[in-house]
Amino acid sequence: MVPGGVIPAPPPRVGVRPVYDSADTGSPVLGQLRELWELRRLLRIVVARDVIVRYKRSLLGVWWTLLNPLLTVAVMWAVLSGIFHARSLGVPYIVYLLSGVLLINFFQQGVIAAGWSMAGSSGVISKVHVPPALFALSAVLAAGVTLIVSVGLLLVMMLATGVGMQPSALLVPVPLLALAMLGTGCGLLLAAAAVRVHDVIDFTQVALQLLAFVTPTFYLLSSVSEPMRTAVQFNPLTQILLLFRGLLWGSGLPPWWTWAASAGSGAVALGLGTVVLARTWRASAAML
Amino acid sequence: MIEPAIEVSDLALAYRLMRNRPGTIAELAINALRRQVRYERLWALDGVSFSVAPGELLAVVGPNGAGKSTLLRVLARVLPPGRGRVIVRGHVSPIIELGAGFNTELTGLENAVLYGALLGHDPRWLQRHGDAIAAYAGLEGFMDVPIRAYSSGMIGRLAFAVATLGTPDVLLIDEVLAVGDEEFRTRSAARIDELIGGGTAVVLVTHGMEVARSRGDRVLWLDHGRPVALGEPDHVVDAYVRSVSDPAVVAR
């Protein structure tokens, strides 16, 4: 086969014709946000890449997305269901467990994947100019695909076990969005640090495991005695989880501070992560 | 007068290397107590100045470790300059270490779309024109195969096809002409000529003296990060070739 032919000229590239001036003293944060916006179409492709690569050589493929939380919950349920009684929870224990495990799993996976994303994509980053947040963002979004699928699974399980659905369940995207913001923010922070020292990822892995115990995934908040209960309440994941469960099967809307704590912690984390990564990036680039 | 596509003035960049690099925190602490933590600055680039006009090809020559690839990375905005100033006007297509940014688990088409989109092209357009890209790169029938099955020449063809889409304002090439067979070399050279005719500014890093001589409008000779000579291709290449046979020439 003789190679040849002519590729037609593509439409102009995105964005205004760039002028790179290394002496430009503009804000790195604003500059990178603008670049991210210009490359938003790319984000979908990178997320798809992350999902495809993750499951490319597996037989079950994306079904692992469902199997992973199901197996976790099944084991926890088998071990713990004797200890916790359904009447105090308001829903079957398996539903209660799954709701907690989903959120925690997403947070753990998203943050760790974002932390590795820079090192993992250093082949691209050291050859083509891209806003550094791109790969961390896409790692969290890829974990978000898993989250959305497993929330669907939770809803099915709620209907199957006769829990039913409150009208307030329509507001469930609010805690999920807050969680995504929190995860992205922490992921960006971890990525910024991990470029310099890989150890922070191992440390974070341990910290995230411990954090899961300080979140009422498998127990009731009210069954924890003080002063531990206060500690659990100060965990932003707890507030997001309480909001999530309250909307799904609580009686009446959750109190205002649960909303405020969820949205607030998400916004603060996201803002902090964006600024820290953008400001440290120039100095980190040479270390990749 | 036309504005240059690339302006570099007094560019310097140092990699910081740690002497007695400690393996663990304990060693680092001991070294710190003994005041043995020393950083050594390795000047990968030092005092480099030049400009490239639209439609001009600048060839960069020099021994390994001269800073040629570092220079391309600075121009590609991957590395920030440590000192000096760099201005690059327009869209840049870097071909640095052919296909090193490719993911071996993804297919040829998936990689082409990803790489093209990273350069700012429309992913949907790339997807639609996958066949044309395959034909151009001589990869018909291979676009749905993960590129871990590709040879380095095949990866090179694909990367070149995507990087030279449209008419980039600036094309940065690191040894692309060295991979691939005779046919690919001839055709990629023709494509580069076409781009130059369309106003693309090209920076070409090469170890091929004939390439530098025949293709370069000007040649920049780097050694240990410092510019040794910049100018007329025959003049600079001759001087460089002489220095290789007689190292005393560079030792200034």
Side-chain angles (χ1 to χ4, degrees):
Chain A
M1 192 174 342
V2 181
V6 176
I7 310 174
R13 298 197 206 179
V14 292
V16 285
R17 184 171 176 273
V19 173
Y20 165 49
D21 184 348
S22 66
D24 191 355
T25 50
S27 153
V29 180
L30 290 180
Q32 291 189 9
L33 286 178
R34 202 195 62 236
E35 283 181 0
L36 269 183
W37 175 248
E38 284 175 352
L39 289 176
R40 61 193 179 280
R41 289 180 302 190
L42 178 59
L43 197 57
R44 250 205 359 250
I45 302 204
V46 180
V47 172
R49 176 200 72 165
D50 284 351
V51 174
I52 291 172
V53 169
R54 183 136 125 241
Y55 296 112
K56 197 104 186 184
R57 291 211 199 183
S58 69
L59 288 173
L60 288 172
V62 273
W63 290 104
W64 281 112
T65 305
L66 290 177
L67 266 176
N68 181 338
L70 273 181
L71 290 175
T72 312
V73 165
V75 171
M76 288 176 81
W77 179 79
V79 175
L80 296 169
S81 61
I83 307 172
F84 295 91
H85 298 290
R87 55 192 141 73
S88 50
L89 297 169
V91 287
Y93 189 51
I94 189 101
V95 172
Y96 188 84
L97 263 180
L98 185 60
S99 64
V101 167
L102 293 185
L103 298 200
I104 287 285
N105 266 9
F106 162 76
F107 190 73
Q108 290 178 335
Q109 283 169 10
V111 170
I112 294 297
W116 278 121
S117 65
M118 301 273 208
S121 294
S122 65
V124 177
I125 296 178
S126 61
K127 269 123 215 151
V128 185
H129 171 77
V130 276
L134 179 77
F135 295 105
L137 209 54
S138 95
V140 177
L141 287 177
V145 173
T146 309
L147 176 67
I148 289 170
V149 172
S150 36
V151 167
L153 178 73
L154 176 69
L155 297 181
V156 169
M157 197 174 272
M158 282 170 62
L159 293 177
T161 53
V163 176
M165 205 84 71
Q166 305 269 358
S168 59
L170 287 172
L171 289 172
V172 142
V174 175
L176 294 183
L177 197 64
L179 183 68
M181 286 164 68
L182 187 68
T184 307
C186 295
L188 290 173
L189 281 173
L190 182 61
V195 172
R196 290 158 185 251
V197 194
H198 280 345
D199 304 40
V200 290
I201 296 183
D202 299 286
F203 172 78
T204 306
Q205 208 131 29
V206 178
L208 285 173
Q209 269 164 24
L210 297 180
L211 191 69
F213 287 99
V214 195
T215 312
T217 41
F218 60 89
Y219 56 84
L220 265 176
L221 183 58
S222 57
S223 63
V224 185
S225 54
E226 291 291 358
M228 210 47 213
R229 192 191 298 183
T230 313
V232 173
Q233 274 173 319
F234 268 99
N235 173 4
L237 286 177
T238 301
Q239 297 301 328
I240 293 175
L241 182 55
L242 289 178
L243 185 59
F244 183 62
R245 284 176 177 155
L247 290 171
L248 281 179
W249 59 72
S251 51
L253 287 179
W256 67 268
W257 64 81
T258 309
W259 295 84
S262 302
S265 55
V268 167
L270 186 58
L272 203 63
T274 310
V275 171
V276 167
L277 181 63
R279 298 197 76 94
T280 57
W281 177 242
R282 269 177 75 94
S284 306
M287 299 184 189
L288 271 174
Chain B
M1 175 170 158
I2 310 166
E3 270 189 323
I6 302 173
E7 281 178 74
V8 175
S9 51
D10 191 32
L11 169 65
L13 189 146
Y15 292 113
R16 214 170 60 154
L17 301 177
M18 207 190 274
R19 268 282 158 130
N20 306 327
R21 191 178 167 78
T24 65
I25 287 192
E27 281 177 44
L28 179 66
I30 292 168
N31 285 349
L33 282 176
R34 291 184 184 159
R35 297 181 189 283
Q36 279 184 345
V37 185
R38 259 182 247 124
Y39 288 105
E40 197 179 354
R41 279 172 182 275
L42 176 78
W43 291 95
L45 290 170
D46 192 0
V48 178
S49 302
F50 63 88
S51 68
V52 186
E56 191 186 11
L57 189 149
L58 177 76
V60 184
V61 299
N64 291 129
K68 304 185 296 292
S69 298
T70 305
L71 176 63
L72 285 195
R73 283 188 187 163
V74 174
L75 297 178
R77 292 186 67 180
V78 169
L79 290 175
R83 191 188 73 215
R85 186 173 183 184
V86 174
I87 301 174
V88 180
R89 297 188 175 87
H91 288 292
V92 179
S93 284
I95 318 181
I96 300 175
E97 287 173 37
L98 274 184
F102 282 3
N103 190 309
T104 52
E105 292 295 317
L106 297 180
T107 66
L109 182 61
E110 285 164 346
N111 270 303
V113 173
L114 180 64
Y115 182 43
L118 278 170
L119 297 181
H121 292 298
D122 183 352
R124 282 163 303 179
W125 186 93
L126 292 161
Q127 195 84 42
R128 271 203 309 277
H129 291 78
D131 289 343
I133 295 173
Y136 180 81
L139 292 172
E140 284 139 317
F142 288 98
M143 290 301 266
D144 295 325
V145 178
I147 63 162
R148 71 183 122 88
Y150 281 28
S151 70
S152 61
M154 291 162 79
I155 293 176
R157 287 159 177 270
L158 186 60
F160 186 82
V162 176
T164 55
L165 281 175
T167 307
D169 298 294
V170 173
L171 184 63
L172 308 171
I173 314 178
D174 198 351
E175 285 297 342
V176 63
L177 302 173
V179 308
D181 49 25
E182 199 52 41
E183 180 274 334
F184 173 66
R185 251 179 287 182
T186 315
R187 229 154 39 88
S188 58
R191 176 70 182 137
I192 291 170
D193 282 340
E194 199 182 338
L195 291 177
I196 290 173
T200 301
V202 182
V203 178
L204 170 72
V205 164
T206 182
H207 285 292
M209 289 308 116
E210 280 324 300
V211 172
R213 213 189 280 272
S214 62
R215 320 254 328 151
D217 292 307
R218 281 181 303 152
V219 175
L220 170 65
W221 168 16
L222 290 178
D223 196 346
H224 289 90
R226 292 198 181 83
V228 181
L230 168 66
E232 180 59 31
D234 284 329
H235 181 75
V236 178
V237 171
D238 285 344
Y240 175 54
V241 170
R242 268 201 310 278
S243 82
V244 173
S245 45
D246 178 14
V249 178
V250 207
R252 299 179 301 166

